[in-house]
Amino acid sequence: MQIPLIRLQCGVNSYDWGKVGKESAAAKFASATPSDDFTIQDEKPYAELWMGTHPSLPSKDLETKRTLLDMFQDNQALMSETIAKHYGQKLPFLFKVLSIRKALSIQAHPNKKLAGELHAKDPKNYPDDNHKPEMTIAITPFEGLCGFRPLAEIAHFLATVPSLRNLIGDSAAQSFEATVKDQGTNSDPKALETNKKALKEAFTALMSASNDHIASAAKELVASAEKEGEQFAGRGGPSNEGKELAELVVRSNSQFPADLGLFVLFFLNYVKLQPGEAMFLKADDIHAYLSGDIIECMASSDNVVRAGFTPKFKDISTLTSMLTYEHDPPSQQKMSPVDYPYVTLSSSAYSSNSSSILYDPPIEEFSVVKTDLKKKGAKATFEGIDGPSIIICTGGEGTISVGPKTENIGTGYVFFVGATAECVLEASSDSDDGFVTFKAFCDLSGKEAA
């Protein structure tokens, strides 16, 4: 009987927004696994390492070259009968490493109902029928645009950025300002719906601007950002400083000249994450990642509705109609990890301040555990769960064991661990940075909640 510990060979995508050559964590991690057809090219951008069964870039058993999906077809026990039955013998999550050099598209991912409709109507641009809620965990400093700002902040920018107001139109801007003034902080359900409607109307007016109007407004906006510095956008508002917004506008324009996205950033929260910090994005939440290296886990889908910062297909009417128009500060999107309850740390792990923490989003398809072992010989023993796991090492080195099978694991190594298998990680050297792994898993029994 096969021991359910399988080293994986995972593919990496080359998109223009990816970090170049060996600067890309996605490329460095991919190169850690032997491959006949992958070597890092110094001038090539490497954007995403994919770990999972998605048919666009399926992971393979390094030894046999069989895809995980093929192996699941032959042996449901690798996933557990419960998971296999619930998700059609496919991994319910897609695990990724993203290395971001320049802005990704302004985008949202459809909910399940809309995903089915879009796939049926336009399978070329919407390749599957699944939703795509996703979680981001920073492994280097990260910045992104995530969710709509509180309405008062948007009103501040309409009043202090003339080119933005001009692009939306004074009538639409006045209507939005009047709503915010009357009930912008009202928590009554009826008022909340009124606020969302006002936000949708203002944002749709922006997204409907003509290319000529955008080009002239962008020229004015960039000139203001370059000239005003700290004074830009009324000194930036309550969440951001004027100087950082001015720098963001200038940088974004260098990547996507005269793009509508230059104005969308005044509607969206500008979020910064330090390593280990995380946020969760529901289906239908608008976002755009700007820079950094991240661990990303999502429902297994490749559906994206785009509207800016991209040369790819844009579907502005779908985007503006699908969004939730919830408008919260970024603190409400950030996650608060907790100690993972189903792991036992050895005494040397405890004494060296090692940790194993759980990022547990409010969905059933996935959770992620980050484990830091900071001393040689420190161990983390994970109880078997009724579902599959994928583990990637992002720093340091050690061993990974299931039953009698033990494998070396170092930076970039990826392993699949089958359902019900107890798994032991052990650090093989002392390091201030530690032996660091991320484990994505699915277990429907209680959602692994702490």
Side-chain angles (χ1 to χ4, degrees):
M1 179 178 177
Q2 182 184 34
I3 297 172
L5 176 65
I6 303 166
R7 188 170 173 193
L8 298 180
Q9 184 179 68
C10 303
V12 63
N13 281 321
S14 176
Y15 301 138
D16 184 58
W17 51 262
K19 290 187 177 181
V20 175
K22 294 179 181 178
E23 293 296 312
S24 167
K28 287 189 293 186
F29 294 168
S31 69
T33 301
S35 172
D36 294 333
D37 56 6
F38 180 75
T39 54
I40 299 177
Q41 300 176 33
D42 289 342
E43 303 301 320
K44 187 173 182 177
Y46 297 97
E48 299 182 340
L49 178 75
W50 283 31
M51 300 167 279
T53 58
H54 196 284
S56 295
L57 197 62
S59 299
K60 300 175 182 179
D61 180 335
L62 176 61
E63 184 177 340
T64 67
K65 307 305 181 188
R66 293 187 68 197
T67 68
L68 267 181
L69 190 59
D70 284 344
M71 297 172 74
F72 294 161
Q73 307 300 321
D74 289 349
N75 185 2
Q76 284 191 13
L78 287 171
M79 297 187 70
S80 87
E81 185 177 343
T82 302
I83 301 294
K85 183 177 180 181
H86 196 68
Y87 293 106
Q89 297 184 333
K90 301 174 184 176
L91 271 184
F93 59 82
L94 178 58
F95 205 22
K96 294 184 181 182
V97 175
L98 271 62
S99 292
I100 306 157
R101 176 178 55 91
K102 69 176 188 177
L104 278 71
S105 56
I106 293 166
Q107 60 184 256
H109 306 300
N111 59 47
K112 281 188 176 181
K113 181 175 182 294
L114 180 59
E117 294 170 356
L118 293 172
H119 178 64
K121 181 175 68 173
D122 185 1
K124 177 184 176 182
N125 289 302
Y126 301 104
D128 58 70
D129 61 0
N130 199 17
H131 68 162
K132 193 180 175 185
E134 60 190 30
M135 179 170 64
T136 294
I137 307 171
I139 54 178
T140 64
F142 162 87
E143 57 177 350
L145 303 172
C146 304
F148 285 106
R149 294 177 181 269
L151 300 188
E153 290 190 28
I154 299 172
H156 166 84
F157 291 128
L158 287 174
T160 58
V161 183
S163 53
L164 173 67
R165 189 181 189 91
N166 181 35
L167 199 58
I168 289 175
D170 197 55
S171 176
Q174 286 183 3
S175 176
F176 177 81
E177 289 165 335
T179 300
V180 173
K181 181 179 179 181
D182 289 343
Q183 47 195 0
T185 59
N186 194 329
S187 59
D188 176 76
K190 185 176 180 180
L192 289 174
E193 287 307 309
T194 299
N195 291 340
K196 288 181 180 182
K197 181 180 178 182
L199 176 56
K200 181 178 181 178
E201 289 175 352
F203 186 68
T204 301
L206 171 64
M207 301 303 287
S208 303
S210 69
N211 289 336
D212 288 345
H213 199 178
I214 294 168
S216 62
K219 185 176 181 180
E220 178 185 345
L221 177 70
V222 174
S224 296
E226 292 175 334
K227 177 182 178 182
E228 295 173 13
E230 292 182 2
Q231 304 301 316
F232 179 67
R235 303 183 69 88
S239 296
N240 305 116
E241 297 178 353
K243 185 178 180 181
E244 69 177 348
L245 286 179
E247 291 173 347
L248 179 59
V249 166
V250 173
R251 173 166 37 115
S252 300
N253 187 66
S254 71
Q255 297 172 358
F256 296 96
D259 193 272
L260 183 60
L262 301 177
F263 298 93
V264 173
L265 66 86
F266 294 105
F267 276 75
L268 305 186
N269 291 305
Y270 177 37
V271 179
K272 294 182 179 180
L273 299 179
Q274 295 303 311
E277 291 188 313
M279 62 183 181
F280 175 67
L281 296 164
K282 303 186 297 292
D284 300 334
D285 275 354
I286 189 169
H287 58 283
Y289 297 161
L290 302 176
S291 70
D293 298 288
I294 60 174
I295 292 287
E296 189 178 51
C297 200
M298 63 196 66
S300 187
S301 171
D302 198 26
N303 282 323
V304 183
V305 183
R306 301 178 181 88
F309 286 160
T310 181
K312 296 181 179 179
F313 171 72
K314 300 176 186 178
D315 194 348
I316 290 174
S317 62
T318 296
L319 184 85
T320 54
S321 64
M322 70 183 274
L323 299 175
T324 63
Y325 292 98
E326 294 180 1
H327 40 276
D328 300 309
S331 59
Q332 294 192 25
Q333 289 180 311
K334 287 187 178 181
M335 302 185 69
S336 298
V338 298
D339 288 338
Y340 183 56
Y342 303 109
V343 65
T344 300
L345 298 179
S346 67
S347 57
S348 60
Y350 274 116
S351 65
S352 58
N353 200 31
S354 298
S355 62
S356 195
I357 57 174
L358 171 68
Y359 302 85
D360 195 28
I363 57 170
E364 66 178 24
E365 284 92 342
F366 61 84
S367 300
V368 173
V369 174
K370 176 178 182 276
T371 301
D372 292 83
L373 298 176
K374 298 182 178 180
K375 184 178 181 180
K376 183 178 180 179
K379 290 184 181 181
T381 301
F382 293 87
E383 297 177 17
I385 58 173
D386 191 30
S389 304
I390 289 180
I391 297 175
I392 181 171
C393 174
T394 60
E397 56 187 21
T399 59
I400 181 171
S401 303
V402 170
K405 185 176 182 179
T406 297
E407 298 262 8
N408 292 323
I409 177 171
T411 301
Y413 288 34
V414 182
F415 286 87
F416 172 83
V417 177
T420 73
E422 181 182 270
C423 177
V424 181
L425 295 171
E426 180 176 353
S428 58
S429 62
D430 294 314
S431 170
D432 291 339
D433 295 329
F435 167 43
V436 183
T437 61
F438 290 85
K439 168 188 170 181
F441 64 91
C442 179
D443 183 352
L444 298 180
S445 57
K447 184 56 181 63
E448 290 287 309

